[in-house]
Amino acid sequence: KAGVTQTPRYLIKTRGQQVTLSCSPISGHRSVSWYQQTPGQGLQFLFEYFSETQRNKGNFPGRFSGRQFSNSRSEMNVSTLELGDSALYLCASSLGSATREQYFGPGTRLTVT
Amino acid sequence: DQQVKQNSPSLSVQEGRISILNCDYTNSMFDYFLWYKKYPAEGPTFLISISSIKDKNEDGRFTVFLNKSAKHLSLHIVPSQPGDSAVYFCAAYTGANSKLTFGKGITLSVRP
């Protein structure tokens, strides 16, 4: 079974721009969660989508948003990029909402200059 | 407020010896704990987990111990191998909000 895929793997953007990241979960998985990883903060939860609905949200500003499609694929959008948004963005999928074991993709490395 | 704490940023161990990775938590609502391993340029991979109703779970070379009264868990790797060199994240889950909370990670280096 194919794992979680994320595109693109690397991205360089300029401050003030916006960016969209994509995640395809493991086939059959209906929940997708997004995390931000930075050297000083570890993995911080952004949000979770299940059956096209946002089920959980972390403590991030409204510039961070997401959505999930009917095929469970998910996108994350960051508007008005700031230098501090430079990070590794990880997507994880699980069978259902409230499933504890999550399977991660390789991440998208975003650099904001 | 850091609810899951991995206070040591790094650990270096000789091959063949035991590696002990520690994790502390503050939220008594956490009822399930997981360890993930992460290599550079890859996403974290699930390693081992433990329910709050148990105090030990073993899987091959990996054992996780949970001390609920101390709000402390540890991952033991015996014997340690160079391929175990990675970043290890402790994560805690509560059914109250169905969310995983991660620690900041600890970098394990196993010396040949």
Side-chain angles (χ1 to χ4, degrees), chain A residues 25-26 28-32 49-52 68 72 94-97:
Chain A
I26 291 172
H29 284 195
R30 296 170 62 194
S31 172
V32 173
Y49 285 87
F50 177 76
S51 292
E52 301 178 66
Q68 186 181 35
S72 295
S94 55
L95 271 173
S97 186

Side-chain angles (χ1 to χ4, degrees), chain A residues 18-75:
Chain A
Q18 77 163 16
V19 66
T20 299
L21 312 181
S22 181
C23 171
S24 292
I26 291 172
S27 177
H29 284 195
R30 296 170 62 194
S31 172
V32 173
S33 298
W34 289 88
Y35 295 86
Q36 181 194 65
Q37 185 190 2
T38 55
Q41 297 299 320
L43 272 74
Q44 294 190 284
F45 174 76
L46 281 154
F47 28 66
E48 180 205 3
Y49 285 87
F50 177 76
S51 292
E52 301 178 66
T53 302
Q54 188 180 87
R55 295 293 295 264
N56 266 312
K57 192 176 189 307
N59 297 325
F60 278 81
R63 301 185 296 106
F64 292 81
S65 63
R67 58 178 177 167
Q68 186 181 35
F69 302 95
S70 58
N71 61 359
S72 295
R73 190 178 70 86
S74 177
E75 286 182 348

Side-chain angles (χ1 to χ4, degrees), chain B:
Chain B
D1 177 35
Q2 191 89 26
Q3 296 188 57
V4 178
K5 301 177 185 180
Q6 295 179 260
N7 293 319
S8 302
S10 63
L11 175 68
S12 182
V13 169
Q14 189 79 36
E15 180 180 6
R17 308 294 289 268
I18 183 171
S19 294
I20 300 176
L21 288 69
N22 294 308
C23 178
D24 297 294
Y25 62 96
T26 57
N27 188 344
S28 57
M29 297 294 291
F30 288 140
D31 54 16
Y32 199 80
F33 302 89
L34 307 92
W35 284 93
Y36 281 82
K37 179 169 76 171
K38 185 181 185 301
Y39 293 117
E42 295 182 13
T45 55
F46 170 72
L47 195 56
I48 192 169
S49 61
I50 187 167
S51 164
S52 61
I53 62 173
K54 295 187 174 183
D55 55 19
K56 178 183 173 181
N57 188 27
E58 206 169 339
D59 184 1
R61 297 186 297 115
F62 303 91
T63 303
V64 57
F65 296 91
L66 175 62
N67 183 333
K68 280 185 66 177
S69 61
K71 294 191 174 69
H72 176 84
L73 65 153
S74 60
L75 173 68
H76 292 210
I77 306 173
V78 184
S80 301
Q81 300 173 353
D84 296 329
S85 297
V87 178
Y88 288 79
F89 290 97
C90 170
Y93 177 91
T94 168
N97 61 14
S98 305
K99 221 163 70 170
L100 271 182
T101 302
F102 284 83
K104 293 186 179 182
I106 177 171
T107 300
L108 173 66
S109 300
V110 180
R111 307 184 305 274

